[in-house]
Amino acid sequence: MKTILEAKRVKKIYGTRGNVFTALEDIDLSVQEGEFVGIMGPSGAGKSTLLNILATIDEPTSGDITIDSSNITDMSEDTLAAFRHDKLGFIFQDYNLLDTLTVKENIILPLALAKTSVTDIAQRLNAVARRFGIEPILDKYPYQISGGQKQRTAASRAIITNPTLVLADEPTGALDSKSATDLLETLKDLSSNDNATILMVTHDAYAASYSQRILFIKDGKLFTELIKGNKSRKKFFNKILDILAALGGEANDII
Amino acid sequence: MTLFSLAKKNIQGNFRHYFVYFISMVFSMVIYFTFVSLQYSEEIQDSIELSDTMSFMFMISSFMLLIFVSTFIFYSNSFFTRRRKKELGLYSLLGLKKKTIGKLLFYENLVMGLIALVVGIIVGSLLSKLFSLILIRLMGSAAEVDFGISFLAIAQTSAVFIVIIMITSIQGYRLIYRFKLIELFQAEKQEEQMPKASFLSSLAGVVLLVISYWLIVRPFPDVLDLEYLLKNYGVSLLLLVTGTHLFFRSVTFYLLKLLQTNKRLFYKGTNLINISQLIYRIRGNARTFTVIALLSAATIGFFTATYTGYYGNKESARGLVPFSYNHLSKNEQQDEKVRNIIQKDKVHAIESALDIPVVPVKGELSFDLDYELNPVKLIPESTYNQAAKALDREFNATLSGNEAVVIQPRLTEYAPSDFIGENIKLNLPQDTMRLKFVDMFKGSVLPFDYPDFYIVISDQLFAEITEYMPAKTYKVYEVENETATKETAKTLNKLLSEDFQVSSTFYTQYKQGKEGNALNLFIFGFLGLVFLAATGSILYFKQLTEANEVRYNYEILRNIGVSKSKIRNSIKKQILFVFSLPLVIGIVHSIVILIFITNFISNLIGSSILIPIITAITAFILIYAIYYLMTAHTYNKIVNR
């Protein structure tokens, strides 16, 4: 199996001399093609920092990151933009949809930017719209649809370019449980049926239980790893809760 | 914390916003003060011969300027307070009394206004010297400009602006009472809905514009009265204003929507973002665009017209008064006196002196001509040829028998084909005589005196007629460097008044035209610059406010992989559209206005209109281009960091 993402000794330090804060310390990470990986950890553990660095939106202080066999740590700003556009798909907690565009236009935006032909655009749009069940709302504007619909729109935009890696930052954070389940089911389906590689940051154990493997981060370091294997989702979910208890459990230990 | 220290901290914290408001106030005051002090300037009044007209022109213009300037101040005031609503809401939330907040705003605005006034008057005094220098240069006078300060101007400016400042201050005081707390907090993020395109109002916009264009450019009716002017142009102005507004509000909107349906174009690169962003914004900008387009149109139109007048003044003066000095010979004594005066002026030596005999007779044309004919003035062929030669003209008449040549009546646009082959019947005391037109010449040889209908006939025929009809003799002189014959012209004017409808001396005609035109040119140029600067600034600030609102959108775009350079290009395109749209419409309007103006004063303008119009439009585009570059740069800095 092909390695899509390879991060070595990634370090991120904020601040200047005298007042430094280490957000990430020597993180090693490897994700294979078709994997659905979750990243969990308490607030301030460095989850979002890690995701932003992998998303090339932020730069690591040191370390190497290779995505689809290209090293992203020494690319220029414009090459990075092109890289983000070609290889990555993003789903954000606050959707990041443009209010001035319809749902349809939001989804096809990356294709339009790449100057894809109109017929190709239509074909791909139909495919993702069907998959996420958003055909009826294609001509609506973001302010006219619900949070769940917005997130499915954002997810459609993320995968319409067939990205090598989909990065999701708390995608269910603002959704009710029904919408969250729908979205997670679709992501899981994407990974198992279409061989899409997904990396999802979440603090929600229920959301994480849909992934195949979970990395736990604490205080900027890799804490542990949990693999679903053949466990049922229910059992996996309980395992996750155990680890979370241990993660945030220091206070309890002292007592 | 006292109210004063709160106000002080406010100003320090929001310095940039305050600064922009402050500068626009100072700008308005400087402009107004400069203009008013020119109005009161004694040097300028002394150096001009038509002071009454000038004061009137200045008065009207300063009134227009006042309206414009106060609108501009109110606009920047509301722009400024809108940005601060949230801050005021916060004070209220923290328990500051409404009255206290009101006072805070009142004093803040009052103090800022007064400081701006002082700065404005100081800067204005310096600028008014510069502008009076320019004005005097334009008029061709040699008056000295010293650095006297006009107290009348200071008083008038202060009075006007203290009233405006008081009004805006009171508005500030009332602001907190006018809104509910919740409204203050929501001021900045009112959700915009995608507006709907209406085919009907787009159609109405185009139709209104077409009708108003047609009303403006259509030729005058045979009977031209005030009622027609008021009705026709009143209606067309109204249609032009509504049509322009609808054009920006609906037509451009509709066209952009239409672009959206062209998928091949719309789904290409950043077009998707550009077009939908513009669609979103165009309604909010429609009123600004309308004001800008109309102001630009008026400025370009009238500036070009006056510039053409200024530019073509010499030629038009030559047309009206062909020779340097002209008079009707009444008796030997006076003729001698005039000749002596002219000869005494050695600097302007006589190049040629002629006697032009003219016989006025009654005549009837063989066809209908829309011009008052009688008395028809007859000139002998040889005299006309001599005069034409003295004036460096190429016409040369060789006539025989009853052939005749018409000289084109001035201020008309008849062509040779209107006359060639036609006849005129002259009613002489003995009998009638029929003359046949063989040509029409342009260029009269005597000063304008209505009716301006001259006919050149053969010397032989002229001699026959003068046997039983007395000829008047006009004496004309052409001198060297006639544009500088101030003293001689002045002396002669006293002696020779009322021989013609225009002045008897070329110099006076030329000078009066030059001064009048220079004054118009200056006033329109000045107002034009002010309009340009103000509208440019309004566009600039509006775009920057938008930039702050849409910053988040560009962050999203960067996140999904749009490079900075692509975003920069997209911004440039959008801003270019925003700047060129009202300008293009303004230029189209101004061309229509110019057609109207040339209609109205036809030959008066005379010379080529092409150079003035190109100059005016180029200047306009240049200044706008500077604003465009500035706006695109700052916009990019805000959203694309």
Side-chain angles (χ1 to χ4, degrees):
Chain A
M1 207 180 274
K2 197 174 155 200
T3 304
I4 293 294
L5 169 70
E6 180 96 64
K8 281 195 185 120
R9 296 181 311 281
V10 173
K11 196 173 199 169
K12 179 73 186 177
I13 297 171
Y14 286 113
T16 46
R17 247 178 303 155
N19 186 23
V20 290
F21 167 69
T22 309
L24 293 176
E25 214 177 325
D26 291 333
I27 297 276
D28 286 323
L29 176 69
S30 164
V31 178
Q32 308 300 312
E33 189 176 17
E35 262 196 306
F36 185 180
V37 178
I39 297 177
M40 294 196 77
S43 297
K47 299 182 302 268
S48 292
T49 309
L50 179 62
L51 194 84
N52 283 342
I53 288 175
L54 297 177
T56 72
I57 294 170
D58 201 353
E59 283 172 26
T61 312
S62 66
D64 281 311
I65 298 161
T66 314
I67 296 176
D68 202 21
S69 27
S70 25
N71 192 333
I72 61 166
T73 38
D74 45 51
M75 284 184 185
S76 73
E77 167 64 34
D78 277 6
T79 335
L80 272 181
F83 179 83
R84 272 204 286 281
H85 178 267
D86 294 342
K87 306 272 166 141
L88 304 180
F90 298 94
I91 309 173
F92 303 90
Q93 178 175 0
D94 48 3
Y95 324 120
N96 272 357
L97 298 176
L98 292 174
D99 276 336
T100 51
L101 301 181
T102 60
V103 166
K104 179 168 141 193
E105 289 157 5
N106 262 296
I107 295 174
I108 63 157
L109 182 59
L111 295 181
L113 289 169
K115 304 192 173 161
T116 314
S117 79
V118 176
T119 44
D120 202 10
I121 288 179
Q123 262 172 22
R124 292 217 229 166
L125 175 71
N126 284 338
V128 291
R130 202 175 313 122
R131 155 152 267 145
F132 284 95
I134 49 173
E135 289 119 316
I137 55 161
L138 281 180
D139 287 323
K140 291 214 157 72
Y141 285 91
Y143 53 81
Q144 296 171 319
I145 60 177
S146 73
Q149 289 170 324
K150 280 185 198 172
Q151 198 55 295
R152 276 183 275 155
T153 304
S156 307
R157 183 183 64 193
I159 64 158
I160 198 162
T161 52
N162 295 329
T164 322
L165 178 63
V166 176
L167 298 162
D169 189 1
E170 303 275 11
T172 58
L175 302 185
D176 61 83
S177 60
K178 167 78 172 62
S179 307
T181 309
D182 284 350
L183 181 75
L184 291 165
E185 286 286 355
T186 324
L187 289 182
K188 191 177 147 201
D189 183 53
L190 268 174
S191 144
S192 47
N193 293 345
D194 296 73
N195 216 20
T197 316
I198 302 169
L199 194 64
M200 173 175 74
V201 162
T202 180
H203 69 273
D204 175 15
Y206 176 75
S209 70
Y210 277 85
S211 60
Q212 295 160 355
R213 178 159 70 103
I214 300 170
L215 300 167
F216 291 89
I217 298 182
K218 193 190 175 192
D219 299 333
K221 287 181 215 147
L222 219 50
F223 182 76
T224 185
E225 188 183 30
L226 189 65
I227 296 170
K228 185 182 176 209
N230 293 326
K231 287 187 273 290
S232 74
R233 202 179 56 74
K234 178 90 177 145
K235 212 168 171 193
F236 191 46
F237 176 67
N238 286 329
K239 274 276 191 198
I240 299 169
L241 288 183
D242 289 346
I243 294 183
L244 284 181
L247 257 178
E250 280 169 326
N252 293 338
D253 289 348
I254 295 164
I255 297 172
Chain B
M1 192 149 46
T2 62
L3 203 56
F4 179 72
S5 67
L6 184 61
K8 209 175 99 187
K9 277 207 163 27
N10 256 334
I11 295 179
Q12 281 167 350
N14 284 322
F15 184 72
R16 233 186 52 168
H17 297 168
Y18 282 86
F19 187 68
V20 166
Y21 177 50
F22 184 75
I23 288 296
S24 39
M25 275 202 290
V26 170
F27 169 77
S28 312
M29 291 159 180
V30 165
I31 294 298
Y32 187 75
F33 178 76
T34 306
F35 204 76
V36 174
S37 44
L38 288 182
Q39 189 180 348
Y40 289 125
S41 158
E42 282 176 17
E43 297 112 49
I44 289 181
Q45 286 185 355
D46 284 350
S47 69
I48 295 185
E49 280 147 40
L50 40 131
S51 281
D52 278 351
T53 338
M54 181 184 106
S55 323
F56 183 68
M57 265 306 274
F58 261 125
M59 229 164 65
I60 298 265
S61 319
S62 76
F63 182 68
M64 269 173 65
L65 197 61
L66 179 64
I67 291 176
F68 182 77
V69 155
S70 47
T71 320
F72 186 64
I73 290 193
F74 288 129
Y75 178 84
S76 17
N77 181 264
S78 75
F79 182 81
F80 174 61
T81 40
R82 197 169 358 147
R83 286 188 151 185
R84 300 186 56 200
K85 278 188 183 166
K86 208 171 183 174
E87 176 198 332
L88 301 178
L90 196 65
Y91 292 153
S92 194
L93 206 63
L94 293 176
L96 225 55
K97 270 190 256 160
K98 279 194 169 187
K99 198 172 176 181
T100 319
I101 298 174
K103 270 193 199 159
L104 177 79
L105 282 183
F106 180 83
Y107 287 122
E108 211 183 81
N109 194 63
L110 189 68
V111 170
M112 244 197 319
L114 292 179
I115 296 175
L117 186 58
V118 173
V119 175
I121 286 177
I122 293 172
V123 178
S125 333
L126 297 176
L127 268 184
S128 63
K129 295 302 147 197
L130 177 72
F131 277 108
S132 56
L133 214 69
I134 294 174
L135 179 54
I136 287 176
R137 263 297 141 70
L138 278 176
M139 290 179 164
S141 303
E144 291 283 312
V145 184
D146 62 2
F147 271 70
I149 287 168
S150 159
F151 288 99
L152 261 171
I154 294 181
Q156 184 171 333
T157 311
S158 306
V160 161
F161 282 100
I162 284 173
V163 170
I164 293 177
I165 293 167
M166 283 312 280
I167 293 174
T168 50
S169 301
I170 290 168
Q171 262 186 345
Y173 180 80
R174 284 180 46 234
L175 182 77
I176 191 81
Y177 291 96
R178 283 213 313 261
F179 295 98
K180 289 190 194 130
L181 199 50
I182 183 78
E183 287 170 336
L184 291 175
F185 276 103
Q186 284 170 345
E188 277 187 17
K189 54 163 218 177
Q190 269 154 10
E191 198 156 86
E192 278 176 282
Q193 301 252 321
M194 180 57 93
K196 286 205 167 53
S198 158
F199 176 73
L200 221 62
S201 60
S202 308
L203 191 72
V206 175
V207 169
L208 287 188
L209 276 187
V210 169
I211 295 178
S212 95
Y213 280 178
W214 177 73
L215 284 179
I216 292 174
V217 301
R218 72 170 164 165
F220 293 131
D222 291 342
V223 190
L224 187 63
D225 54 13
L226 195 65
E227 198 193 333
Y228 170 84
L229 286 178
L230 286 180
K231 260 193 198 155
N232 191 59
Y233 298 106
V235 169
S236 59
L237 184 68
L238 202 72
L239 294 184
L240 189 70
V241 173
T242 11
T244 310
H245 188 244
L246 277 178
F247 183 86
F248 289 124
R249 222 183 111 79
S250 304
V251 181
T252 44
F253 182 79
Y254 191 76
L255 290 177
L256 283 170
K257 274 276 185 194
L258 222 60
L259 269 186
Q260 254 186 338
T261 57
N262 180 352
K263 300 280 182 252
R264 226 168 278 285
L265 183 86
F266 186 47
Y267 290 171
K268 189 127 263 173
T270 48
N271 284 355
L272 189 62
I273 308 164
N274 298 346
I275 295 175
S276 32
Q277 196 88 259
L278 285 172
I279 286 179
Y280 232 70
R281 300 278 151 195
I282 202 136
R283 286 258 159 117
N285 279 321
R287 218 179 311 159
T288 317
F289 284 175
T290 311
V291 172
I292 292 174
L294 292 174
L295 280 181
S296 324
T299 319
I300 295 179
F302 290 110
F303 184 76
T304 309
T306 46
Y307 188 43
T308 315
Y310 184 73
Y311 190 77
N313 176 54
K314 200 168 174 179
E315 235 171 283
S316 116
R318 279 236 161 85
L320 289 173
V321 185
F323 281 92
S324 308
Y325 311 116
N326 315 267
H327 73 104
L328 177 65
S329 164
K330 286 168 193 143
N331 51 57
E332 260 321 300
Q333 220 178 343
Q334 203 209 23
D335 293 353
E336 188 62 32
K337 205 168 162 189
V338 171
R339 192 177 307 118
N340 282 339
I341 293 172
I342 296 171
Q343 276 169 343
K344 231 169 51 193
D345 187 357
K346 293 276 190 299
V347 186
H348 306 287
I350 298 174
E351 284 176 341
S352 52
L354 278 176
D355 286 357
I356 301 182
V358 170
V359 178
V361 297
K362 280 215 175 330
E364 273 170 57
L365 287 174
S366 62
F367 63 106
D368 277 335
L369 188 72
D370 189 20
Y371 194 81
E372 175 62 45
L373 207 60
N374 289 309
V376 175
K377 296 159 188 164
L378 304 176
I379 298 183
E381 170 191 13
S382 60
T383 313
Y384 182 80
N385 289 344
Q386 277 170 20
K389 202 177 158 215
L391 294 168
D392 294 328
R393 290 189 189 141
E394 284 167 9
F395 294 107
N396 204 355
T398 41
L399 301 168
S400 58
N402 66 341
E403 285 176 347
V405 169
V406 185
I407 300 174
Q408 186 190 45
R410 278 168 281 195
L411 312 183
T412 70
E413 283 175 355
Y414 299 120
S417 58
D418 291 331
F419 295 99
I420 293 174
E422 299 286 351
N423 294 313
I424 185 167
K425 193 175 78 181
L426 299 182
N427 296 319
L428 303 174
Q430 320 297 87
D431 55 356
T432 59
M433 180 186 280
R434 204 168 272 282
L435 298 179
K436 193 177 158 222
F437 292 126
V438 292
D439 204 354
M440 185 197 86
F441 288 167
K442 278 186 184 177
S444 201
V445 292
L446 283 170
F448 180 77
D449 202 30
Y450 188 80
D452 192 40
F453 200 85
Y454 287 89
I455 294 178
V456 182
I457 55 176
S458 70
D459 288 358
Q460 195 195 343
L461 210 58
F462 191 83
E464 277 174 32
I465 294 172
T466 43
E467 267 173 33
Y468 40 85
M469 282 200 77
K472 289 186 193 173
T473 304
Y474 289 96
K475 292 192 170 289
V476 299
Y477 300 86
E478 181 73 358
V479 299
E480 270 174 28
N481 197 7
E482 58 182 348
T483 53
T485 51
K486 187 175 179 179
E487 296 308 320
T488 312
K490 219 172 168 181
T491 327
L492 286 176
N493 282 341
K494 273 184 209 143
L495 209 64
L496 306 172
S497 55
E498 321 241 317
D499 279 354
F500 312 97
Q501 274 177 340
V502 291
S503 173
S504 305
T505 59
F506 166 81
Y507 175 81
T508 311
Q509 189 66 31
Y510 164 76
K511 183 69 180 158
Q512 274 179 356
K514 185 159 182 175
E515 276 170 4
N517 282 315
L519 189 68
N520 288 339
L521 182 67
F522 178 79
I523 287 176
F524 282 115
F526 192 89
L527 291 181
L529 274 180
V530 172
F531 289 165
L532 253 177
T535 50
S537 310
I538 288 175
L539 266 187
Y540 178 75
F541 292 130
K542 267 210 123 155
Q543 291 310 303
L544 295 197
T545 320
E546 276 182 25
N548 279 309
E549 283 165 10
V550 299
R551 206 147 88 185
Y552 177 66
N553 285 356
Y554 287 97
E555 205 180 303
I556 296 172
L557 288 176
R558 274 205 309 280
N559 282 348
I560 65 168
V562 186
S563 68
K564 281 190 173 181
S565 53
K566 256 191 185 161
I567 291 183
R568 194 167 50 237
N569 281 334
S570 152
I571 289 168
K572 272 189 193 159
K573 274 187 201 159
Q574 288 179 46
I575 308 271
L576 185 65
F577 182 84
V578 164
F579 270 83
S580 46
L581 187 64
L583 187 64
V584 168
I585 299 301
I587 289 175
V588 173
H589 280 10
S590 72
I591 288 171
V592 173
I593 292 178
L594 275 173
I595 294 175
F596 158 71
I597 291 174
T598 45
N599 233 347
F600 198 55
I601 38 184
S602 62
N603 271 15
L604 254 186
I605 293 185
S607 69
S608 155
I609 199 166
L610 207 63
I611 292 172
I613 194 174
I614 289 173
T615 315
I617 290 177
T618 315
F620 234 75
I621 291 176
L622 257 173
I623 297 179
Y624 255 71
I626 294 170
Y627 271 104
Y628 158 69
L629 289 176
M630 225 163 72
T631 310
H633 176 76
T634 321
Y635 198 111
N636 186 52
K637 248 172 71 183
I638 291 174
V639 302
N640 203 10
R641 245 193 307 247

